[in-house]
Amino acid sequence: MKKLSLKIIIAFIIGIMLLQSTVVIAASTVEQLDNKKEQNQDKIDEAEEKKEEITKEKNKTVKEVEQLDSQISDYESQIDELDTKIEELNSKIKESEQKLGKAQEDYTKQEKLLEARLVTIQESGETSYLDFLLSSDSLTDLISNYYLVTELTNNDTELLEKIQKQKEEIEKAKVELETSKKELDTSKASKQSVATQLQTAKTEKNKQVAKLSEDEKKLQARIEELNQTNKLIDQQIRDAQAAIKKAQEDAENNKPSGGNSNAGSSNGGGTTAPSASGFIYPVPSGYARVTTEMYYSSGQYHGAVDFGSGGINGQPIYAVADGYVVTSTRLNGSYGNYILIAHYNGLYTLYAHGQDGSRTVSAGQTVKQGQQIMRVGNTGNSSGPHLHFEVRTSPGTYSNRVNPMNYLGK
């Protein structure tokens, strides 16, 4: 009868161990998925931040393009106005040239007539009066003819002076018009140069907007992809948590009345005796001084204790109890090199900031109490060499951290 009872107990213990193994494996899956989800969320946050920066830069560039459009439009309007003025000046210059040509023609013609008369008068000399006298029928005719010749000569001279004055005025006006035209041409060329530069700047800005829009689309696609991945991870976490819950329920249902089993052993390495909870200190006794507790001096929640005595760098880190390695990895930030162990009493312990290359266990391995698993270091988000030590309740996630000193003892 005793042998039968012993077999039942042994079978029960084996069953419990198998169930516990299921819980540990499922918890390992949850931890790994949580880590992956957290890493994905960091990537999402980073992508969102980059996207926001790109969107701001794009909006700023679009406004700059709009300003350039406005400036280009203003310059084009000014150039159109200058073209109109230049066209009017060209028309006036052409008209002035025509008037100048006509005045020159009139002047030349009148000048020749006057020269002819003067030559005739000069050649006649003193005989002119005698000619007038001899050819005149009376004294009245003589006076009349002489006055007519004199009047014609005076009129020709006045006309030449008038034509010369008009000619000079036309030439002056033409020079002024041509000067104005040159100034307008220079102004137009300058504005066209600026407009061309603005157009070039606008083209470059539009290229920049197009590139930023493309980057924005790529980041949005990446964000959506990561969000979709996190949805799948959430479902996997729910499935793993359901498996943990079922295994725990099965263990509870199969527990014999009045029976209790608490396996645990101390296996070298650690120099402190196990506490009432069965845990030893994770560092040698000479370095087991807590430098930071569950809350920082600022009041911010820490969620762990730090062991950071002088000379602790490179000291061994021990598993505080028998268990199963859930995670053994390195994060660039945060924990740096860290190890998460699931223990057979339903608790989890986490050891962080270990030295690079010092991890001696991998996920899936079992460890014994006091076994060295890593060395104290300064990796990850750490201000100096120390061991960041956490205790977590089931299912071992970040939100399940509790005060380690309740399990280590004083």
Side-chain angles (χ1 to χ4, degrees), residues 369-386:
Q369 186 179 60
Q371 178 180 337
Q372 181 177 326
I373 58 174
M374 191 166 55
R375 289 189 177 277
V376 177
N378 189 30
T379 58
N381 186 13
S382 172
S383 59
H386 70 280

Side-chain angles (χ1 to χ4, degrees), residues 16 19-20 22-24 27 240-255 345-348 393-396:
I16 291 295
L19 290 170
Q20 186 64 48
T22 301
V23 172
V24 170
Q241 288 173 337
I244 291 172
K245 184 178 180 182
K246 185 176 184 305
Q248 289 173 336
E249 289 174 351
D250 289 344
E252 186 66 27
N253 292 334
N254 292 326
K255 183 177 180 181
N345 57 3
L347 295 174
Y348 295 75
T393 58
S394 182

